């Protein structure tokens, strides 16, 4: 019944172990999505494989791939965030992934519980996201710059992602923007 929370805790543990490797550093990405899937031994008597299949499994795989784009270790979907609300999540982006019609909101899984410093980052980051999604490049830029130090080394690549999105938004000023990032590759 608490599969989403268990998945989040497992992901945090995996990343903690990976961070312990220093030479060479071990960089991993974990994508978590909550939903129905076909899981079990699949195949025939000659070749049997334990696997998970379905649209929700595909979305989890796509989310895992986005850890490279956003530069964060663990990304979860909105359904996972809703199923495990007591964790510390940082909202990142609303996306349309290739092969799916609807949108999915993505969150960085920060920790099992929020601390005060994270809560400050979360509030300022949300204000920046609101400006971004509403197409207000100048406000987004001001908020992003004012919060630069809060992103620290852990979210340095996420900060760089939003700087590139700010440049993109400035170049698109005056054009229609629905606040959803459409991903054109898997």
């Amino acid at each position: 019944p608490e599969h989403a929370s268990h998945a989040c805790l497992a992901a945090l543990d995996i990343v903690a172990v990976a961070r312990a490797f220093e030479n060479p550093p071990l960089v991993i990405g974990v994508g978590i999505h909550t939903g129905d899937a076909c899981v079990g031994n699949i195949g025939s008597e000659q070749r049997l494989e334990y696997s998970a299949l379905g649209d929700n499994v595909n979305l989890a795989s796509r989310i895992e791939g986005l850890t490279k784009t956003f530069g964060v270790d663990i990304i979860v979907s909105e359904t996972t965030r809703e199923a495990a609300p007591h964790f510390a999540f940082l909202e990142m982006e609303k996306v349309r992934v290739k092969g799916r019609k609807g949108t999915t909101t993505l969150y960085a899984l920060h920790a099992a519980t929020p601390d005060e410093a994270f809560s400050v980052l979360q509030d300022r980051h949300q204000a920046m996201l609101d400006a971004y999604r509403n197409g207000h490049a100048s406000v987004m830029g001001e908020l992003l710059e004012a919060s630069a130090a809060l992103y620290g080394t852990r979210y340095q690549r996420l900060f760089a992602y939003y700087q590139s999105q700010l440049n993109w938004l400035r170049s698109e000023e005056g054009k229609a923007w629905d606040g959803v990032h459409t991903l054109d590759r898997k």
Side-chain angles (χ1 to χ4, degrees):
E2 295 182 34
H3 60 276
S5 293
H6 292 292
C8 289
L9 288 171
L12 289 168
D13 286 346
I14 290 168
V15 168
V17 169
R19 284 185 186 143
F21 287 87
E22 294 177 2
N23 194 12
L26 183 58
V27 179
I28 65 166
V30 178
I32 305 173
H33 175 62
T34 301
D36 293 332
C38 179
V39 180
N41 288 318
I42 299 171
S44 65
E45 287 182 18
Q46 290 79 26
R47 182 176 166 95
L48 198 60
E49 184 177 315
Y50 189 84
S51 190
L53 302 172
D55 185 53
N56 290 313
V57 177
N58 292 337
L59 181 55
S61 176
R62 302 249 175 102
I63 291 170
E64 179 274 327
L66 291 172
T67 60
K68 296 172 195 77
T69 301
F70 294 106
V72 297
D73 298 323
I74 307 166
I75 299 177
V76 305
S77 68
E78 59 196 315
T79 56
T80 299
R81 182 185 175 275
E82 290 167 3
H86 54 278
F87 285 83
F89 295 105
L90 185 66
E91 184 175 343
M92 295 190 317
E93 188 76 274
K94 290 182 188 228
V95 298
R96 273 186 213 92
V97 296
K98 189 170 183 169
R100 288 182 67 105
K101 291 183 181 184
T103 63
T104 302
T105 304
L106 302 177
Y107 298 84
L109 174 56
H110 179 77
T113 56
D115 60 19
E116 190 175 328
F118 176 75
S119 295
V120 172
L121 169 62
Q122 193 176 39
D123 291 344
R124 294 208 186 153
H125 180 79
Q126 190 61 52
M128 182 276 301
L129 275 181
D130 293 342
Y132 167 56
R133 290 184 180 141
N134 289 315
H136 302 302
S138 60
V139 175
M140 178 192 179
E142 290 171 14
L143 292 169
L144 192 60
E145 195 58 39
S147 303
L150 294 175
Y151 287 89
T153 56
R154 183 167 180 185
Y155 293 112
Q156 190 173 39
R157 288 179 49 211
L158 181 63
F159 178 79
Y161 168 81
Y162 283 111
Q163 286 181 313
S164 69
Q165 289 303 99
L166 173 60
N167 293 335
W168 171 84
L169 191 59
R170 285 177 173 150
S171 72
E172 297 293 310
E173 199 120 24
K175 295 181 182 174
W177 159 243
D178 66 358
V180 179
H181 187 118
T182 300
L183 303 169
D184 54 1
R185 57 190 157 103
K186 293 183 180 183

